[in-house]
Amino acid sequence: MGYPYGPQQGHDPYAGQGYAQPGYVDPYVDPYGGQPGYADPYGAQPYGAPAHGVPAYGAPYPGYGPPRAGGGTAITAAVIALLLSLLGLTGIGIAAAILIGTEATSATDAAGREEITVALAIGAAPALLLFLGSILLFHRKTAGRVILILLSSASLIFTAISIVAAVSTDGSDDLGFLLIGGIVTASIPLLVLLLAAAPSTGRWIKAGRQPAYPYY
């Protein structure tokens, strides 16, 4: 027999009935009482932590991507390549027009005209590729970047070979002029190479494939 104000000490009225003895829950610690089926919407976050769905300080908000990459290096490389291609094609066109407008007076002259025609055709190929690479780079295509890098590298290698061949042939009398001319000639392809191969150019091309603001 129990006491009039409660169960006897050591006796559990819920024992044997499949129920656990209810305990006291501090509402300030867990307002839901730790009951099954209820989840703490605040996730027991520490004081000062942002609520669920709100990004931390300095983090981008959902629906807004990181700042867009600038295309200064890519656009500059494309503009320089476009100007070079137009100058090259213009010069080749003028030379072809002069060649067509004149007639060969001898067999030697005819052979020379054929050599000039082949040289113009060979020179037109890099100019056309340079034009194509600049247009593709304007449209944020990786192929345009690769074309400019390859053409610039080939131009630098050809300039270096030309300088070495000229120095070995003419000696050291005109070495200073050859070096200055080689540096001036190689400066523009080197600039295009550095701009096209810059990491910012790659980021700008990659950013063009993604929407400005991704869907939330």
Side-chain angles (χ1 to χ4, degrees):
M1 182 173 182
Y3 292 94
Y5 299 103
Q8 298 181 1
Q9 186 176 2
H11 176 69
D12 187 0
Y14 295 95
Q17 300 181 10
Y19 297 97
Q21 182 177 2
Y24 175 76
V25 178
D26 190 353
Y28 295 99
V29 176
D30 187 358
Y32 296 95
Q35 301 178 9
Y38 294 92
D40 186 1
Y42 301 99
Q45 297 182 1
Y47 178 77
H52 284 284
V54 180
Y57 178 77
Y61 279 83
Y64 296 90
R68 302 187 64 180
T73 55
I75 295 176
T76 304
V79 169
I80 296 175
L82 180 62
L83 293 177
L84 289 177
S85 65
L86 293 178
L87 288 176
L89 293 175
T90 301
I92 293 173
I94 293 174
I98 294 175
L99 185 64
I100 295 173
T102 58
E103 297 181 357
T105 57
S106 63
T108 304
D109 191 10
R113 289 167 60 88
E114 293 179 358
E115 294 177 357
I116 294 175
T117 303
V118 173
L120 292 178
I122 295 175
L128 291 174
L129 288 175
L130 201 61
F131 180 80
L132 177 63
S134 63
I135 297 301
L136 291 176
L137 187 56
F138 275 126
H139 288 83
R140 295 188 176 188
K141 302 296 183 181
T142 305
R145 183 190 187 193
V146 173
I147 290 174
L148 295 187
I149 291 175
L150 293 178
L151 288 177
S152 301
S153 302
S155 178
L156 292 174
I157 294 173
F158 179 76
T159 302
I161 293 174
S162 301
I163 294 175
V164 172
V167 169
S168 61
T169 302
D170 299 338
S172 59
D173 296 336
D174 299 330
L175 180 59
F177 294 101
L178 290 174
L179 290 178
I180 294 175
I183 292 173
V184 174
T185 304
S187 60
I188 297 179
L190 179 61
L191 178 60
V192 174
L193 175 62
L194 294 177
L195 292 174
S200 57
T201 301
R203 290 193 297 267
W204 183 71
I205 294 174
K206 185 177 180 181
R209 305 172 185 171
Q210 302 173 354
Y213 300 101
Y215 294 103
Y216 174 64

